[in-house]
Amino acid sequence: AAEADDDDDGEPGDESAVERELGSRAEAEEADYETFRLLADKDTLGWSAPAGGGVTRGVAQGLLGAYCPLVDALCKGEGAAAAEPHVRCAAALALAKLMAACPAYCEARLQLFFSLLLADANGAAGEEADARRVPPGVRTTLVIALGDLCVRYPNLLEPWTAHVHRTLRDADVGVRTHALMVVSHLTLHDMVKARGGIAEAALLLLDPEAQVCARARALFTELATKSSAPVYNALPDLLSRLSRPDAGVSTDGFREILGYLLGFIDKEKQAEALSERLIARLAAAEADEVETARAIAFCFERLPATERSLRRLLERRDAFAHRLADEQVYASLCDAAARARRAAKASLAQTAEEFEGVMSKLRARALRADDGAPSDVDDENAESDAAEGAAAGSTPARRGAGPHDATLHVLGEIPPDGAAQTPASGRRGRPAASKQGAAGAGATRKAAGSTKKQQPTTTATSSRSSGRAAAARQ
């Protein structure tokens, strides 16, 4: 009765008892599920690996286990029946279903699964025989089943993640299309890491099939909306992979891929951080890495120009000044400055103009160095470099005395004889050396005046002495 009164009043009853009852019920359901799963594995497939025999060796004792040797043989292409493509596709589908039914059997057959799936992933001439033995329909069946296996056994498939992205290289259009669909689903749902295979997916932006190209663009558009910014994080690694000579990407293809992906960098902080990493990469590039320097310069051309990034390029200009002799590097940096000069911010436009002037002078110097001309410049260029150094926050070293110093002395920039100038005040004042000269002249005049005053007294005294001597003689 008391509990009924409590329920009528709306007060809570014994919550701890309810929680204990729910918890014990959940534990019981979990135990029942595990028991039924073990029974199903034992009765349906019953795969068990012998002790010390390795993972790939085992015995199937269940109801469906008797078909495992037949399925394995058909998938490997053994027997006359394997020559029929439809039979082999059915065997591949049966293999995938058996792997999904038993984790032990799945672990034991992963090597066979990926060897069939990647038979034509590289498209090399030496693998043409294997490609003929594995029809495209079999590879399509396996790549579709791959998505289900990654969801069902993520821990077992994690070491094979790199091979998952290799399916995007398949020579068959249908296999590539289905592989891109599976990889997109797994990547967008965080089942596989986007950074590891983004280079493979980026290559599909150049695919000759319009459908594959459109799906690749849709993948990167969805990735750009994620808060973790996978496109921004993967760009340095993508730049390093695509700029290699063995990447097989032409210059136009590289520019098309990077131009599309850099369009997703719309935040100023991301652009500045990426510029810092690109500057460091450009400074660390070897002398013979011409394509890498051109690729980095192209990235600067497509990145949103900011005042900080241009200033950093001016500060680190000595690290890449020799690269400006290359026409493509110089053109890309000039295009970046031109885009910044058209910006609405006056300070950014002014920095861009300064950047263009410095790049022009550095390019002329780099061209003279390539032609074997002396590196010394005339006084006019030295004055320009000094002005640029002052604008960039650096103080150029002062030369010895000469015609240049005489000109600066006339302009009032260098005091004569190394005397320091006094700082400017509210009114015009004389230099310290002039004040000392005036003080010395005043002291001389005073001494001369005192000497003149003493001369009459001395004359009178001498005349009186001579008069006394004459009177004594008389």
Side-chain angles (χ1 to χ4, degrees):
E3 293 179 359
D5 293 337
D6 292 340
D7 293 339
D8 294 337
D9 295 336
E11 297 179 358
D14 191 357
E15 295 182 358
S16 60
V18 175
E19 291 177 358
R20 284 196 301 269
E21 183 179 356
L22 292 176
S24 60
R25 187 179 302 173
E27 292 177 0
E29 290 179 356
E30 180 116 10
D32 293 342
Y33 171 77
E34 187 67 20
T35 302
F36 287 124
R37 189 186 67 80
L38 293 176
L39 290 174
D41 290 345
K42 182 179 179 180
D43 294 338
T44 55
L45 199 60
W47 180 268
S48 60
V55 180
T56 58
R57 297 182 180 180
V59 179
Q61 301 175 352
L63 178 62
L64 301 178
Y67 297 97
C68 291
L70 177 61
V71 171
D72 295 344
L74 291 176
C75 288
K76 294 177 183 178
E78 300 175 357
E84 185 65 29
H86 298 288
V87 175
R88 211 154 172 207
C89 288
L93 182 58
L95 174 67
K97 290 184 176 181
L98 291 175
M99 292 174 66
C102 180
Y105 184 77
C106 177
E107 185 178 5
R109 291 295 178 264
L110 279 176
Q111 182 70 40
L112 173 62
F113 185 91
F114 279 97
S115 65
L116 297 173
L117 180 60
L118 302 176
D120 195 41
N122 295 324
E127 296 179 342
E128 291 182 357
D130 292 336
R132 286 195 298 266
R133 290 199 312 115
V134 182
V138 175
R139 300 199 301 272
T140 303
T141 302
L142 293 177
V143 78
I144 295 173
L146 178 61
D148 298 332
L149 293 178
C150 288
V151 174
R152 184 166 177 78
Y153 306 120
N155 295 331
L156 290 179
L157 271 295
E158 184 178 2
W160 301 84
T161 303
H163 300 287
V164 173
H165 293 102
R166 285 182 58 192
T167 57
L168 299 173
R169 306 180 189 173
D170 199 281
D172 186 75
V173 178
V175 178
R176 282 202 313 273
T177 304
H178 288 87
L180 181 57
M181 294 172 61
V182 171
V183 170
S184 300
H185 176 78
L186 296 176
T187 303
L188 295 176
H189 290 82
D190 298 327
M191 301 301 297
V192 296
K193 295 181 180 179
R195 188 172 184 177
I198 198 170
E200 302 292 342
L203 290 176
L204 294 182
L205 294 171
L206 305 177
D207 198 273
E209 292 293 328
Q211 182 181 4
V212 178
C213 217
R215 289 186 180 275
R217 289 177 176 268
L219 170 61
F220 285 105
T221 303
E222 292 295 329
L223 286 176
T225 60
K226 297 179 72 70
S227 59
S228 57
V231 177
Y232 162 74
N233 294 326
L235 273 175
D237 181 64
L238 180 64
L239 173 65
S240 145
R241 291 189 180 186
L242 295 183
S243 59
R244 294 176 184 172
D246 57 348
V249 182
S250 63
T251 302
D252 295 338
F254 177 85
R255 289 174 175 265
E256 183 177 352
I257 293 175
L258 267 295
Y260 178 75
L261 296 181
L262 288 172
F264 294 109
I265 307 299
D266 53 356
K267 296 181 180 179
E268 187 172 343
K269 291 184 177 180
Q270 291 183 354
E272 292 176 353
L274 192 57
S275 298
E276 291 283 348
R277 301 173 72 173
L278 291 176
I279 292 173
R281 180 69 181 89
L282 182 61
E286 299 293 338
D288 56 346
E289 294 181 339
V290 180
E291 292 299 329
T292 301
R294 292 175 178 175
I296 295 174
F298 175 76
C299 292
F300 279 114
E301 177 186 349
R302 291 305 179 95
L303 274 176
T306 62
E307 186 174 357
R308 181 180 177 183
S309 61
L310 293 179
R311 286 293 179 188
R312 286 294 296 165
L313 281 171
L314 286 175
E315 293 172 4
R316 299 288 300 276
R317 62 182 181 269
D318 293 338
F320 62 90
H322 61 286
R323 300 283 186 185
L324 295 176
D326 187 87
E327 182 66 28
Q328 296 185 20
V329 174
Y330 177 69
S332 296
L333 293 178
C334 287
D335 289 343
R339 291 176 61 245
R341 193 175 62 249
R342 295 191 296 268
K345 296 175 62 176
S347 59
L348 179 58
Q350 182 179 1
T351 305
E353 292 180 0
E354 178 185 351
F355 179 82
E356 286 181 334
V358 173
M359 291 299 105
S360 176
K361 291 180 175 61
L362 291 178
R363 173 173 168 78
R365 187 175 302 177
L367 291 176
R368 286 196 300 269
D370 287 349
D371 295 339
S375 59
D376 295 334
V377 295
D378 54 4
D379 292 335
E380 182 179 357
N381 290 336
E383 291 179 18
S384 302
D385 293 343
E388 294 165 6
S394 60
T395 304
R398 182 173 176 251
R399 297 185 176 184
H404 181 69
D405 290 345
T407 305
L408 295 178
H409 170 52
V410 173
L411 297 176
E413 294 184 6
I414 299 180
D417 300 331
Q421 290 184 346
T422 56
S425 58
R427 58 178 184 177
R428 287 189 174 180
R430 295 180 179 179
S434 301
K435 290 184 179 180
Q436 292 178 1
T444 304
R445 287 194 297 269
K446 288 182 180 180
S450 61
T451 304
K452 290 180 180 180
K453 289 179 182 180
Q454 292 177 0
Q455 285 180 358
T457 305
T458 306
T459 305
T461 303
S462 60
S463 61
R464 285 196 298 269
S465 299
S466 60
R468 290 193 194 100
R473 286 195 299 270
Q474 291 178 1

